[in-house]
Amino acid sequence: MKKWIKNIVVFIIIAVLSLSLVSCSQKTQEKTSTNANSVKTEVKATFPLKITDFMGRQVTIKKEPKRIVSLSPSTTELIYAIGAGKNVVGVTNYDGYPPEVKSVAKVGGYEGPNIEAILAQKPDIVFASNLSGKDQMETLQKSGIPVVVLEAQNINQIYESIKILGEITGNVEKGNEIINTMKDKIKEINDKVKNLPKVNVFYVVDTNGNWTAGKGTFIDELITLAGGNNIASDANGWAQYSMEKLLQKNPDVIITSQHATNANNIKNMPGYKDTKAAKDGKIFIISNDDIVTKPSNRIVLGLEEIAKDLHPEAFK
Amino acid sequence: MSIVKVEDLHFSYGKIEVLRGINFDIDGFKMVGIIGANGCGKTTLLKNISGYLKPYRGNVYIAGKNVNSMNSREKARLIGYVPQDMYSDFEFSCSDIVMMGRTPYLRRFQKETENDLRIVRESMMLTDTWDLRDRYINELSGGQRQRVYIARALAQQPKILLLDEPVSHLDVKYQIDILSMLKQLTAKNILIFAVLHDINLSSQFCDVILLLDSGKIISKGTPDEVLTVENIKRAFSIDADVFKNPVSDTPYIILSKKRGEDQRVV
Amino acid sequence: MKVKRNIYFFISFVILIASLMFSASVGAVRIPLKDIIEIIFGSGSETNRMILIQLRFPRIIETAVVGMGLSVTGTFFQGLLRNPMADPYVLGISSGAAFGASIAIVLGVGLFGLQFMAFASALVTIYVVYMLSKKGPNVSMQTMLLAGIAISAFMSSIISLMMLLNHNEMSQIVFWTMGGFNLITWSQVFYTMPIIIIGCIALYTFSRDLNVIMTGEEIAEHLGIDTERVKKIILIVGSLITASSVSAGGIIGFVGLIVPHISRLIIGSDNRALVPFSGILGASFLVLADTLARIAMAPVEIPVGIITAAFGGPFFLYLLIKNKNREVK
């Protein structure tokens, strides 16, 4: 009978080891985001241009690109915003803004670019994201097409993206203009609310599983700028949040997305219904998910909406 | 008094006819050997006698009652069945295995009684397995395992015991042990049907032999009556020399390929 | 022998009670036992009362009940299929439930709809597997195993297709399949607990039959057991238990596989002792696993299926090696 005691000890050890592997992978995820903070651009108004992208890659762009493929919908938005939209020849199936992209050729899904479709467009530059597939990007790079990875995870990094895009597409002034407009608007909103008492907020990404936006997400940053306190900031990234903790922290306001399951009925759902937010009727649905999740210049609209939800008196 | 009577039994697996009219009547507690070449229908016959398989024509009567009109429990109290050795990965003690033989007497929620325990003990003593009662069945040798399965069948307190090749894969010692034990059981009013592979063993131990060929009985009776050169040739397609076994006073068969050449002794 | 068994049972009960008490006092919100008792008797903080009574108690109860259900069903399926690698999902229930859940998620029907569709879809799947395996009045367990694998593969590919076409819902579907109890409230307990408990008791009454069937279906027939009827009952009741469990907690793997094995090592193969022992051990195991899921990265919830897989994966390997050695021997 002693045999089974030994056996159980063996798999408890193995189990502990495998669980620690899970926590290890969490740490490597955080590592890549800190690299992005050291993005540098060498300011050269002329080509060839050497830039370091968000993955720390050194990319040389020989001449101003005339045929741009964008594998990231948020980058596409920024390209159009700085005035280089006419040069866009390929986008993904998931691009939807601005409306002009409807007529642009589709070269793949968000995580799965179609190399043949990309090459068919004869691009002279490809803008990718972290999810674009390392091997495929290497293939493109090897065939002589520069691949630039932009992956902004906070507002400052959006500014960096705009700067890089401005330089690459020869729209430096327009880029700066957009950055300044954003900064001004954000300051304007923040000034209105920064001295008001902070409102406790919980963002419901989906009710099935109580998904929320924790620390490091745009939503988290926006809530803070909007004069709120994201009660889920003790979680990192997108996470399933403990219902118990939610009740204990008892948010004043709940914000959710139209795509959340039963978004209109959160006030009656078990768990949520016992929060102050539900009882006070302060549950808001964001008009458009894009403006709070996509790293583009429209993020300012998201900030404005959230700030109005949290501090309506300041915007009358 | 007829104990087992089989009348015009026809059975087929789907379109394949296996038993083509079996008739016999056993009227005493004897040891009956069923022999024949592989594929002649021995196992199928056994399963028809037990009522596990239903013939498309003909009947099986046990003590005058039609087997197929009995319900499961009734059959299980009358007929014990021991299949060819089955290896099991699961650990049951031998006494647990033999106690399973009491299933036809126990209701769903009923616990085993003193009587059941006594019968299990008797069955195990009869088969010389009482010493093995706390050992796990999958730790035993083939011979020991077989005796435990026989004990289980005996725990059913059957009138008829059906065994499918009970000794084919066992050592010679166990072959003799088990067949002797079975023979002795007839004295306790149990009718034994054993499908046997070895002609000489059947001759040595059986009171009655049923010789099967292609789904029919081509000979039935005592070993002397059945085990003739012609019958063996017909059933096994092989030549034989019939001698007398001095110990059992029954036929002793030596098989050969051709007369005078290539002697092959079984 | 009997005395040893009773001691093991006693210990297993103690472990279960201890697990329940431990689980009640820890979580993203720590509520010490002292406070729990206060709350039960009427006083104590209002927030903690709400957390304990609306969220934690039903969750612990559901977890224990599902742990018991999966372990008992796993024990029966392993015996019925005469395969030590079997678990409650092996006949296609898990992919059937995932299929129903995926459709529910894509349609956005909300929690109750999701759970109902998972439940219904699981039952329909096993019915299909059963009908495919039937030959006249008989059903071969080995054929069911193969049919279950085939149907599972087919459904998995449809689920993948659905995920591809519904990019937004993909992560939700993936997380549902990993299993989790973070949304359990009293209504889930109300719907699933009666089915699972009654189901387990019903299965238990067939323990003796299962013992005999495990030594051979032919033998069982000859001993007077109506094996076809018993097989059907075990399949139906086992499926109901599993479908209920899956509707509440998603697909929680390895509980139905490991717990019967560990139990068998301690208490032996006789199902009359093994079944209840598995049930008690399974309840404790899942309660503790879910507790870990709640506290390991609090306030973030880890899907409990990951925890059970962390223990189950190595164990499964161990089983394979053990079986391999036996064959070589």
Side-chain angles (χ1 to χ4, degrees):
Chain A
M1 284 301 171
K2 286 209 183 104
K3 191 175 74 169
W4 61 266
I5 298 177
K6 187 182 95 177
N7 290 333
I8 289 175
V9 168
V10 168
F11 21 94
I12 287 179
I13 292 175
I14 298 179
V16 166
L17 284 173
S18 30
L19 272 174
S20 57
L21 275 175
V22 171
S23 59
C24 259
S25 62
Q26 276 279 313
K27 297 205 182 90
T28 47
Q29 221 182 38
E30 288 161 21
K31 229 174 161 211
T32 46
S33 54
T34 48
N35 270 340
N37 284 327
S38 47
V39 162
K40 285 195 203 73
T41 49
E42 291 177 22
V43 182
K44 272 191 194 156
T46 49
F47 289 83
L49 192 61
K50 265 209 198 112
I51 61 130
T52 309
D53 73 1
F54 276 66
M55 289 197 80
R57 293 163 63 249
Q58 299 264 11
V59 188
T60 306
I61 298 151
K62 296 208 179 95
K63 54 180 172 55
E64 188 177 301
K66 294 289 176 217
R67 295 183 67 78
I68 302 175
V69 162
S70 168
L71 298 177
S72 164
S74 45
T75 306
T76 311
E77 277 192 41
L78 290 175
I79 294 173
Y80 275 87
I82 60 171
K86 57 189 185 321
N87 293 329
V88 174
V89 298
V91 294
T92 70
N93 281 324
Y94 298 100
D95 277 80
Y97 190 89
E100 289 95 310
V101 298
K102 280 207 188 81
S103 53
V104 178
K106 304 289 181 288
V107 297
Y110 197 64
E111 293 119 11
N114 186 328
I115 296 292
E116 286 169 15
I118 295 174
L119 290 172
Q121 294 306 321
K122 299 196 195 358
D124 42 26
I125 192 166
V126 171
F127 288 101
S129 74
N130 272 345
L131 298 168
S132 298
K134 202 153 172 278
D135 292 334
Q136 285 130 325
M137 297 306 107
E138 307 266 278
T139 311
L140 289 172
Q141 191 84 51
K142 280 201 188 104
S143 61
I145 304 169
V147 176
V148 177
V149 177
L150 299 176
E151 188 77 37
Q153 288 175 345
N154 57 45
I155 294 179
N156 276 334
Q157 288 177 3
I158 298 180
Y159 298 150
E160 281 301 325
S161 305
I162 297 174
K163 272 214 196 92
I164 294 176
L165 286 168
E167 273 158 30
I168 293 177
T169 61
N171 290 307
V172 176
E173 266 182 51
K174 183 75 179 158
N176 286 334
E177 191 189 308
I178 294 177
I179 293 173
N180 288 330
T181 311
M182 284 175 73
K183 282 184 174 168
D184 289 341
K185 189 73 185 169
I186 290 175
K187 184 169 192 305
E188 183 194 318
I189 296 171
N190 187 246
D191 281 341
K192 287 198 177 134
V193 300
K194 65 184 180 200
N195 292 319
L196 297 175
K198 293 235 177 291
V199 176
N200 283 330
V201 183
F202 184 77
Y203 189 94
V204 176
V205 174
D206 194 44
T207 51
N208 273 347
N210 199 27
W211 286 93
T212 190
K215 185 137 163 251
T217 59
F218 280 107
I219 290 172
D220 179 69
E221 196 179 359
L222 294 180
I223 290 175
T224 310
L225 284 171
N229 172 35
N230 182 6
I231 63 171
S233 56
D234 49 357
N236 278 324
W238 306 101
Q240 291 187 302
Y241 203 75
S242 160
M243 257 319 188
E244 292 179 1
K245 203 72 183 181
L246 176 64
L247 280 186
Q248 189 190 44
K249 292 199 178 172
N250 205 6
D252 306 307
V253 168
I254 288 178
I255 304 180
T256 187
S257 144
Q258 298 172 322
H259 290 116
T261 315
N262 277 351
N264 290 314
N265 200 28
I266 291 182
K267 62 181 179 299
N268 291 322
M269 292 176 74
Y272 300 110
K273 69 180 185 354
D274 294 315
T275 58
K276 186 163 184 294
K279 291 178 187 157
D280 291 347
K282 295 225 175 124
I283 300 184
F284 302 101
I285 303 180
I286 289 285
S287 63
N288 180 351
D289 282 358
D290 282 356
I291 62 178
V292 294
T293 56
K294 274 172 108 173
S296 81
N297 52 334
R298 288 195 291 160
I299 205 94
V300 182
L301 299 172
L303 174 61
E304 194 171 9
E305 214 180 292
I306 293 179
K308 285 187 179 157
D309 290 335
L310 300 186
H311 298 282
E313 345 71 62
F315 290 88
K316 292 247 175 19
Chain B
M1 179 206 39
S2 161
I3 301 181
V4 173
K5 180 168 170 192
V6 171
E7 211 173 61
D8 195 31
L9 194 70
H10 285 75
F11 179 84
S12 56
Y13 284 111
K15 289 213 167 79
I16 304 173
E17 242 209 313
V18 180
L19 299 176
R20 307 156 194 257
I22 304 280
N23 286 285
F24 65 85
D25 190 348
I26 313 288
D27 60 348
F29 293 107
K30 302 176 178 166
M31 179 134 159
V32 179
I34 302 176
I35 64 175
N38 283 339
C40 66
K42 309 190 289 275
T43 306
T44 310
L45 175 58
L46 217 60
K47 290 186 184 172
N48 270 276
I49 297 173
S50 79
Y52 183 72
L53 296 174
K54 290 192 195 344
Y56 68 83
R57 200 169 114 194
N59 290 302
V60 177
Y61 298 98
I62 298 187
K65 197 159 177 211
N66 191 326
V67 146
N68 288 310
S69 69
M70 300 185 208
N71 67 43
S72 277
R73 285 170 82 85
E74 228 184 311
K75 274 191 276 193
R77 294 181 191 198
L78 216 48
I79 305 166
Y81 181 85
V82 181
Q84 285 188 309
D85 185 31
M86 295 182 74
Y87 177 71
S88 175
D89 217 344
F90 295 100
E91 295 179 341
F92 286 112
S93 72
C94 291
S95 55
D96 281 339
I97 295 276
V98 179
M99 184 58 85
M100 288 181 194
R102 298 303 298 160
T103 308
Y105 297 91
L106 292 165
R107 304 232 69 94
R108 168 138 287 119
F109 298 102
Q110 196 183 354
K111 241 190 154 296
E112 292 92 16
T113 63
E114 277 300 318
N115 190 38
D116 296 310
L117 291 165
R118 180 180 59 82
I119 292 170
V120 164
R121 183 157 187 262
E122 273 174 21
S123 308
M124 294 186 88
M125 303 220 62
L126 263 175
T127 52
D128 202 20
T129 52
W130 182 240
D131 293 335
L132 303 170
R133 64 190 179 281
D134 289 325
R135 302 258 315 265
Y136 287 125
I137 186 98
N138 56 343
E139 287 172 357
L140 302 184
S141 72
Q144 293 169 317
R145 222 174 13 241
Q146 199 68 327
R147 280 186 285 142
V148 172
Y149 288 141
I150 295 173
R152 172 165 68 177
L154 287 176
Q156 291 171 255
Q157 295 179 295
K159 286 274 168 286
I160 302 176
L161 199 55
L162 304 169
L163 303 109
D164 191 352
E165 304 220 21
V167 298
S168 300
H169 57 284
L170 298 179
D171 280 341
V172 199
K173 167 175 158 41
Y174 292 122
Q175 291 185 326
I176 306 297
D177 271 350
I178 289 175
L179 290 173
S180 311
M181 174 191 79
L182 289 172
K183 183 85 189 245
Q184 281 164 15
L185 288 174
T186 56
K188 293 197 181 297
N189 291 355
I190 300 178
L191 175 56
I192 313 263
F193 277 94
V195 167
L196 293 170
H197 195 78
D198 186 319
I199 305 177
N200 282 318
L201 284 176
S202 72
S203 170
Q204 195 177 340
F205 290 96
C206 297
D207 302 309
V208 173
I209 294 184
L210 302 174
L211 178 61
L212 251 62
D213 178 42
S214 304
K216 284 184 186 300
I217 295 183
I218 58 173
S219 180
K220 62 188 169 198
T222 65
D224 277 310
E225 289 163 359
V226 173
L227 299 172
T228 65
V229 174
E230 302 77 37
N231 283 341
I232 291 171
K233 176 87 183 190
R234 198 170 143 203
F236 296 97
S237 308
I238 197 163
D239 292 311
D241 286 308
V242 181
F243 298 93
K244 199 72 165 181
N245 183 327
V247 175
S248 63
D249 200 30
T250 54
Y252 186 80
I253 317 295
I254 295 181
L255 300 171
S256 58
K257 220 162 171 206
K258 272 184 212 160
R259 290 209 75 91
E261 292 174 40
D262 276 29
Q263 293 266 332
R264 258 173 103 215
V265 179
V266 166
Chain C
M1 189 65 161
K2 213 54 202 281
V3 177
K4 236 184 188 175
R5 257 188 203 178
N6 289 338
I7 294 178
Y8 287 135
F9 264 102
F10 179 72
I11 295 178
S12 72
F13 262 117
V14 168
I15 293 179
L16 179 62
I17 306 289
S19 307
L20 290 170
M21 290 187 356
F22 172 67
S23 189
S25 64
V26 303
V29 175
R30 240 211 122 234
I31 306 179
L33 270 168
K34 185 171 61 72
D35 295 356
I36 295 180
I37 297 178
E38 269 179 30
I39 289 173
I40 294 178
F41 284 105
S43 54
S45 118
E46 190 55 41
T47 314
N48 280 355
R49 162 187 302 275
M50 204 160 41
I51 291 175
L52 203 61
I53 296 188
Q54 305 276 37
L55 297 176
R56 209 178 276 179
F57 277 170
R59 180 167 177 165
I60 295 173
I61 293 175
E62 183 70 22
T63 316
V65 165
V66 166
M68 173 179 79
L70 290 174
S71 305
V72 166
T73 305
T75 309
F76 267 87
F77 280 13
Q78 280 174 6
L80 200 62
L81 291 164
R82 249 163 290 147
N83 188 330
M85 309 282 197
D87 70 4
Y89 308 125
V90 81
L91 298 171
I93 287 185
S94 56
S95 47
F99 181 70
S102 302
I103 296 182
I105 289 172
V106 164
L107 293 177
V109 292
L111 193 60
F112 179 73
L114 171 63
Q115 290 170 343
F116 176 75
M117 285 187 74
F119 178 80
S121 180
L123 291 181
V124 168
T125 304
I126 206 171
Y127 180 71
V128 168
V129 169
Y130 178 77
M131 292 312 279
L132 284 173
S133 322
K134 228 160 93 93
K135 275 200 196 92
N138 294 346
V139 65
S140 149
M141 297 314 298
Q142 305 314 314
T143 312
M144 272 198 87
L145 196 63
L146 292 172
I149 293 173
I151 298 277
S152 287
F154 174 67
M155 292 198 133
S156 292
S157 62
I158 305 247
I159 294 171
S160 296
L161 189 66
M162 274 199 285
M163 288 205 283
L164 203 65
L165 296 173
N166 294 283
H167 188 79
N168 289 326
E169 284 79 19
M170 185 156 69
S171 48
Q172 271 191 67
I173 295 177
V174 169
F175 275 92
W176 183 88
T177 56
M178 286 195 206
F181 288 102
N182 54 334
L183 302 166
I184 299 296
T185 54
W186 287 111
S187 61
Q188 277 83 26
V189 176
F190 177 70
Y191 288 121
T192 61
M193 187 158 133
I195 295 181
I196 296 179
I197 293 191
I198 294 176
C200 286
I201 295 176
L203 280 182
Y204 175 64
T205 63
F206 285 90
S207 303
R208 187 189 279 147
D209 301 67
L210 187 66
N211 280 348
V212 183
I213 292 178
M214 273 161 63
T215 63
E217 275 182 45
E218 241 177 64
I219 286 290
E221 280 287 343
H222 281 109
L223 285 169
I225 294 176
D226 187 345
T227 48
E228 287 307 311
R229 187 171 150 261
V230 171
K231 280 191 322 203
K232 273 193 198 91
I233 293 177
I234 292 176
L235 282 173
I236 292 175
V237 177
S239 303
L240 280 168
I241 293 174
T242 310
S244 298
S245 305
V246 164
S247 76
I251 300 171
I252 300 166
F254 295 102
V255 178
L257 174 69
I258 320 174
V259 173
H261 276 282
I262 297 183
S263 305
R264 206 174 282 124
L265 287 171
I266 300 173
I267 210 143
S269 284
D270 185 350
N271 288 303
R272 288 171 297 174
L274 180 60
V275 168
F277 194 77
S278 289
I280 297 171
L281 214 62
S284 311
F285 175 67
L286 200 54
V287 165
L288 290 172
D290 185 54
T291 311
L292 198 62
R294 283 190 282 134
I295 63 179
M297 279 170 58
V300 176
E301 296 258 0
I302 304 177
V304 73
I306 293 181
I307 309 278
T308 58
F311 282 95
F315 182 86
F316 202 76
L317 274 170
Y318 157 76
L319 268 188
L320 285 173
I321 295 171
K322 180 171 160 228
N323 270 331
K324 199 166 157 232
N325 285 339
R326 176 175 270 155
E327 277 162 37
V328 172
K329 201 174 48 160

